[in-house]
Amino acid sequence: MSLPSDFLWGFATAAYQIEGSADVDGRGPSIWDTFCAIPGKIADGSSGAVACDSYKRTKEDIDLLKSLGAKAYRFSISWSRVIPLGGRNDPVNQKGLDHYVKFVDDLLEAGITPFITLFHWDLPDALDKRYGGFLNKEEFTADFENYARVLFKAIPKCKHWITFNEPWCTSILGYNSGYFAPGHTSDRTRSAVGDSARECWIVGHNILIAHGKAVKVYREEFKPVNGGEIGITLNGDAVLPWDPEDPADVEACDRKIEFAISWFADPIYFGKYPDSMLKQLGDRLPTFTPEEVALVKGSNDFYGMNHYTANYIKHKTGTPPDDDFLGNLETLFYSKSGECIGPETQSFWLRPHAQGFRDLLNWLSKRYGYPKIYVTENGTSLKGENDMSLEQIVEDDFRVKYFDDYVHAMAKAFSEDGVNVRGYLAWSLMDNFEWAEGYETRFGVTYVDYENDQKRYPKKSAKAMKPLFESLIKKE
Ligand code: GBH
């Protein structure tokens, strides 16, 4: 069992979850600032206004990465720091841009390879207000293309670019369940606006086009000179049939991955939506024009994979409700015979099941022709961690085991199954603003003491990563 000698490993974060300094140096508000201000949307009533204060602690964060032996760091750019109003005719905020230029210089100086995510959910609020954000194809895709170009031009030293983080979450959680910003849903007790049957599929489509436009810009205007690579990051859970004897459950397993991952990956690799989605959604799924197919098909230099958990899949019969986004099935933690998929964590949706990671790496590789894969997120919360003492928190054996199991499953996928996985970024470098769950759920390998000046304390899992990878990565 091994990983290749040039394997990149490190940690990941996202701008709104760690930066804070929401009003500093000319940053404009994002849809998450607005969403957090609505009572009831965030579990503990908090926001990313301060978070880990990372905007002001870049040196501290880079020192932390260095001390842990990280070879790579994935972070995202706050669009509204760079272009406060977001649009292609709006002014660029030089201070905001300079911050990221310097951050990349400092990372490289420290010997750490940057992976930049252009978009990790924090759309400039002005674009949502001006024209409906992601819902407006012409405007949104043109503004994203412009924003991407500003970054490509300013940071030629970055060689690994991710256009969008988890468009599934933006589409479904933002425009179907309304659990995430901007909170659109058909449920009028939770939102005055939204159409859960339609908006999410339009948003997903428009993000694909925006991704395609940014990739075209990168490949035509920057890659020939700077080299480098660009791709999208998709989230998806592993699947096991609830009843392995029932062909309908086995079939529902593929459909579950198609609705979560292939929704985006099939257009990117094949130029069309999966048949299972077309069948269920009909004309609610937008159609690709020939120009759009040309933009989107073939637009990944690598596949960015975010992965956390697994579910037993039980098919449903009958016509699904028109807000169904799973593919007419149920996701469960127990199988028909009563097996449990994995132990509880602090996140209701997350139970460790490392074999699922290997299986999904194989599923993706087979379907998409063994693309180069970077695991851009993988990690876990820990039941009750927020209520423990600091002494207990830093002894996070549960998280140590999670990483150990998952990284070994990945190494087997590489060395025994031929999966072309080339990098791994653990989620997360430090505890941070966990979106609708606020600060109560912690995903960090580093504890952040929010009550006491955001002081950082590396947990056992932080220190376990270097020996873990050194034991697996082949020496030259
Ligand atoms: C990642 O998403 C995010 O990229 C990252 O910012 C975040 O901090 C991290 O996970 C930890 O949560 O039951 O319908 O509400 C992970 C993928 C997909 C996990 C949606 C939670 C909830 C689905 N997420 N899922 S639902």
Side-chain angles (χ1 to χ4, degrees):
M1 198 194 321
S2 63
L3 290 167
S5 60
D6 59 352
F7 194 84
L8 284 169
W9 68 271
F11 302 92
T13 59
Y16 193 69
Q17 295 182 272
I18 66 162
E19 284 184 353
S21 297
D23 297 324
V24 174
D25 288 348
R27 177 184 177 275
S30 79
I31 55 172
W32 272 93
D33 296 278
T34 307
F35 190 67
C36 291
I38 305 171
K41 299 297 182 194
I42 310 299
D44 56 6
S46 67
S47 76
V50 178
C52 307
D53 197 30
S54 281
Y55 183 72
K56 295 185 186 144
R57 301 190 194 201
T58 53
K59 182 177 181 321
E60 202 181 315
D61 287 355
I62 292 173
D63 287 347
L64 174 63
L65 285 160
K66 256 171 101 170
S67 74
L68 304 181
K71 296 191 180 309
Y73 181 49
R74 172 180 178 234
F75 64 97
S76 81
I77 309 264
S78 161
W79 183 342
S80 60
R81 253 188 223 294
V82 176
I83 308 175
L85 296 172
R88 56 201 183 281
N89 298 314
D90 297 320
V92 169
N93 175 31
Q94 197 59 42
K95 271 192 178 168
L97 188 57
D98 288 349
H99 169 82
Y100 295 111
V101 172
K102 177 165 182 350
F103 187 57
V104 167
D105 284 344
D106 293 350
L107 279 170
L108 290 168
E109 172 89 29
I112 297 164
T113 302
F115 279 68
I116 295 184
T117 311
L118 287 170
F119 183 81
H120 199 125
W121 305 352
D122 45 356
L123 183 78
D125 195 53
L127 300 186
D128 187 46
K129 299 221 158 76
R130 188 180 289 165
Y131 56 68
F134 312 97
L135 287 166
N136 188 323
K137 183 161 76 181
E138 306 317 320
E139 295 294 333
F140 172 69
T141 61
D143 283 347
F144 184 76
E145 175 185 326
N146 170 71
Y147 161 63
R149 185 183 281 109
V150 168
L151 267 303
F152 298 149
K153 196 169 171 198
I155 316 187
K157 293 179 192 169
C158 176
K159 307 298 179 195
H160 310 276
W161 294 90
I162 293 155
T163 53
F164 286 90
N165 179 69
E166 303 188 348
W168 185 95
C169 291
T170 302
S171 309
I172 299 298
L173 305 181
Y175 291 84
N176 176 298
S177 71
Y179 180 65
F180 277 8
H184 286 211
T185 175
S186 290
D187 179 351
R188 289 289 166 264
T189 66
R190 303 191 51 237
S191 169
V193 286
D195 176 357
S196 301
R198 292 181 185 275
E199 284 187 353
C200 51
W201 312 115
I202 295 167
V203 167
H205 191 81
N206 295 348
I207 291 178
L208 277 167
I209 309 307
H211 158 82
K213 286 193 175 179
V215 171
K216 186 172 192 291
V217 165
Y218 190 69
R219 287 181 177 165
E220 288 180 356
E221 301 171 26
F222 298 94
K223 198 172 172 159
V225 191
N226 304 337
E229 52 183 1
I230 186 162
I232 198 166
T233 278
L234 305 177
N235 58 296
D237 307 335
V239 292
L240 289 84
W242 179 74
D243 176 3
E245 306 299 316
D246 186 344
D249 284 353
V250 174
E251 200 185 308
C253 281
D254 275 346
R255 200 163 66 245
K256 167 69 166 59
I257 305 177
E258 286 167 358
F259 270 72
I261 293 176
S262 308
W263 172 12
F264 302 99
D266 276 17
I268 288 172
Y269 288 94
F270 308 142
K272 61 187 185 67
Y273 286 121
D275 290 338
S276 59
M277 293 185 75
L278 287 163
K279 193 172 161 209
Q280 179 174 319
L281 303 170
D283 66 4
R284 287 188 284 132
L285 205 54
T287 42
F288 287 101
T289 65
E291 294 74 35
E292 290 175 352
V293 172
L295 269 176
V296 173
K297 191 178 174 185
S299 58
N300 255 1
D301 293 336
F302 60 83
Y303 181 100
M305 178 182 188
N306 283 3
H307 181 72
Y308 289 86
T309 190
N311 285 118
Y312 291 110
I313 305 301
K314 189 176 183 203
H315 77 282
K316 282 188 181 171
T317 50
T319 310
D322 67 5
D323 63 351
D324 176 62
F325 55 81
L326 288 175
N328 207 20
L329 52 89
E330 275 178 88
T331 58
L332 301 160
F333 288 132
Y334 287 87
S335 70
K336 187 184 181 192
S337 60
E339 288 158 295
C340 178
I341 206 136
E344 271 188 275
T345 67
Q346 186 62 28
S347 311
F348 70 87
W349 52 271
L350 201 174
R351 287 180 181 240
H353 184 86
Q355 177 62 37
F357 187 25
R358 182 175 178 181
D359 294 342
L360 187 59
L361 281 161
N362 274 283
W363 192 99
L364 294 172
S365 297
K366 280 192 195 113
R367 187 168 180 113
Y368 300 116
Y370 289 81
K372 176 197 259 195
I373 296 175
Y374 292 121
V375 176
T376 42
E377 284 179 30
N378 174 242
T380 191
S381 59
L382 204 151
K383 186 96 189 143
E385 189 176 21
N386 196 42
D387 303 318
M388 295 176 191
S389 68
L390 177 58
E391 290 68 34
Q392 290 171 311
I393 286 173
V394 294
E395 295 294 315
D396 61 338
D397 293 296
F398 183 87
R399 190 175 281 107
V400 172
K401 179 167 161 44
Y402 180 97
F403 284 129
D404 202 76
D405 291 348
Y406 272 75
V407 170
H408 279 99
M410 173 178 72
K412 282 185 190 149
F414 173 78
S415 56
E416 295 171 29
D417 309 337
V419 165
N420 189 20
V421 59
R422 294 284 158 172
Y424 176 97
L425 291 311
W427 188 269
S428 179
L429 175 63
M430 62 190 122
D431 296 334
N432 56 50
F433 176 69
E434 180 54 13
W435 308 109
E437 288 174 51
Y439 295 96
E440 288 168 357
T441 304
R442 295 174 177 271
F443 270 86
V445 298
T446 304
Y447 174 72
V448 177
D449 187 350
Y450 300 114
E451 315 279 89
N452 292 293
D453 197 35
Q454 274 68 25
K455 196 166 161 28
R456 286 110 159 97
Y457 300 85
K459 305 174 192 176
K460 196 189 262 185
S461 57
K463 299 166 189 164
M465 215 55 101
K466 186 171 186 240
L468 171 59
F469 279 99
E470 281 184 348
S471 73
L472 290 165
I473 294 176
K474 279 193 221 141
K475 313 274 175 295
E476 290 282 359

